[in-house]
Amino acid sequence: MVIPINNNASSFFFILMDFPGLETAHCWTAIPVCVIYVLSLLGNTTILHIVKSVPSLHTPMYLFLSMLSLADLGLAVSTLPSMAAVYLLGQRKVGAATCFVQLFFIHTCSVIESAVLLAMAFDRCVAIRAPLRYATILTTKRIGAIGLASVTRSAALHLPLPVLLGRLQFQPVNALSHSYCVHPDVLRLASSSTVVNSGLGLFVMLSTLGVDAVLILLSYVMILKTVLNIASNAGWLKALNTCISHICAVLLFYTPLVSLSVIHRFGKKKLPAQIYMLLSYLHFLVPPMLNPIVYTVKTKEIRARILKMLQPSKL
């Protein structure tokens, strides 16, 4: 029996997937899930509070870091409802309309994060290659325009996805492969033609994540070329040290994404479901948790402010 989602969206459900093999251990699997979300929300809100409250941190680098924290918060909040429902409440059913809205926000926030990582790469490139023009190139107005363009690009490109999904018919067996809704996972359950949906999804991925990754790589090629021209070892080590946090953030974001893409296209049927789900968690859940930790450890100003917040007030 095929259920036309466009005519019966209010009564059609998808079944969210618990972690394979641990379906009966909710009391244990809920603990790491809660820890991840608490650290993500606490870490990113702390970064935002520090940058907002300290005027000396209103510089391009820290404004872009604030944008990254906002994107991480958006990504964490987008996956939180269904993850909480599955791991804390044991509720695995999700309505089609709710699922489509969730996947829109998940993919939108993910692409916004990719755009912010690209902007941060450009920031480091300008700071190292043209330090004397850094303040005039990356003005507050231009930084705001970059942020607005990132949000607009992502939202505009992903808005057709839930609309087109609502026109498809789906199989009666409607179990997803994740604890949240993502576009490729929902699309594989369709019983009608998905040529338009697949084509649009591929175009969005290549024109956003693909282009961003190439431009980030080119930025670091230019940075490396400039650094190698520095005579002293101490000079180029100092220059590269300013990029370490950003490189870690890029690797946290793109490594699971590339692995997921390769497995989805070539090896999904050959690998256990646990590996596929684990990589998905690494891509969507881990960066919002670890990015604030990485920048706290590697950024002296952020670290000093957090230590000051943690110290008891002197009488």
Side-chain angles (χ1 to χ4, degrees):
M1 176 181 177
V2 177
I3 302 177
I5 189 72
N6 53 335
N7 295 327
N8 200 25
S10 61
S11 61
F12 188 82
F13 291 93
F14 291 104
I15 305 299
L16 299 169
M17 178 62 70
D18 204 335
F19 198 87
L22 299 176
E23 291 86 354
T24 59
H26 285 285
C27 59
W28 296 109
T29 54
I31 295 175
V33 170
C34 290
V35 170
I36 288 173
Y37 280 106
V38 168
L39 291 177
S40 298
L41 298 176
L42 183 60
N44 287 291
T45 52
T46 301
I47 295 289
L48 289 170
H49 171 72
I50 290 173
V51 174
K52 180 181 178 181
S53 60
V54 181
S56 63
L57 297 184
H58 295 175
T59 60
M61 175 182 171
Y62 292 103
L63 293 177
F64 284 129
L65 178 57
S66 296
M67 292 182 189
L68 182 64
S69 292
L70 284 172
D72 281 335
L73 280 175
L75 193 56
V77 171
S78 297
T79 58
L80 177 58
S82 59
M83 290 287 289
V86 171
Y87 288 101
L88 297 180
L89 305 177
Q91 301 294 324
R92 297 172 59 188
K93 283 187 178 182
V94 59
T98 302
C99 183
F100 297 163
V101 170
Q102 184 186 44
L103 70 84
F104 167 78
F105 281 107
I106 288 176
H107 291 297
T108 297
C109 291
S110 180
V111 168
I112 290 174
E113 179 157 346
S114 174
V116 173
L117 290 173
L118 172 59
M120 296 175 83
F122 177 68
D123 168 76
R124 292 298 85 206
C125 187
V126 173
I128 292 174
R129 290 177 61 87
L132 298 180
R133 299 170 54 202
Y134 179 68
T136 57
I137 293 175
L138 287 172
T139 62
T140 303
K141 185 177 180 180
R142 285 176 178 167
I143 293 171
I146 290 173
L148 180 60
S150 301
V151 174
T152 302
R153 178 190 73 159
S154 184
L157 287 174
H158 287 100
L159 193 58
L161 295 184
V163 177
L164 291 174
L165 285 174
R167 298 175 179 272
L168 297 178
Q169 295 180 327
F170 288 85
Q171 302 173 9
V173 179
N174 50 5
L176 298 173
S177 301
H178 302 83
S179 304
Y180 38 76
C181 299
V182 289
H183 185 253
D185 198 22
V186 173
L187 201 60
R188 71 178 178 82
L189 298 177
S191 57
S192 52
S193 175
T194 61
V195 173
V196 175
N197 302 71
S198 298
L200 178 61
L202 181 62
F203 168 77
V204 170
M205 185 181 71
L206 293 178
S207 63
T208 55
L209 301 175
V211 171
D212 292 349
V214 171
L215 293 178
I216 290 172
L217 181 60
L218 289 177
S219 296
Y220 274 100
V221 169
M222 296 172 67
I223 289 173
L224 188 60
K225 183 179 178 181
T226 301
V227 168
L228 291 177
N229 290 329
I230 299 175
S232 65
N233 290 338
W236 64 262
L237 282 174
K238 182 179 179 181
L240 285 179
N241 189 53
T242 64
C243 302
I244 294 299
S245 299
H246 180 257
I247 292 173
C248 291
V250 170
L251 292 176
L252 284 172
F253 182 82
Y254 279 102
T255 303
L257 176 64
V258 172
S259 301
L260 271 173
S261 299
V262 171
I263 292 174
H264 179 74
R265 299 295 177 186
F266 305 108
K268 183 179 177 181
K269 294 181 180 179
K270 301 177 183 179
L271 294 176
Q274 291 90 335
I275 294 179
Y276 189 71
M277 181 172 281
L278 183 61
L279 286 172
S280 177
Y281 285 171
L282 288 176
H283 176 58
F284 289 113
L285 305 184
V286 172
M289 177 185 67
L290 290 186
N291 282 339
I293 297 175
V294 169
Y295 275 92
T296 298
V297 171
K298 294 298 298 179
T299 309
K300 181 175 66 175
E301 292 81 0
I302 298 292
R303 185 170 65 251
R305 292 290 172 177
I306 291 178
L307 290 175
K308 185 177 180 180
M309 291 170 59
L310 294 176
Q311 286 177 351
S313 300
K314 295 182 180 180
L315 297 176

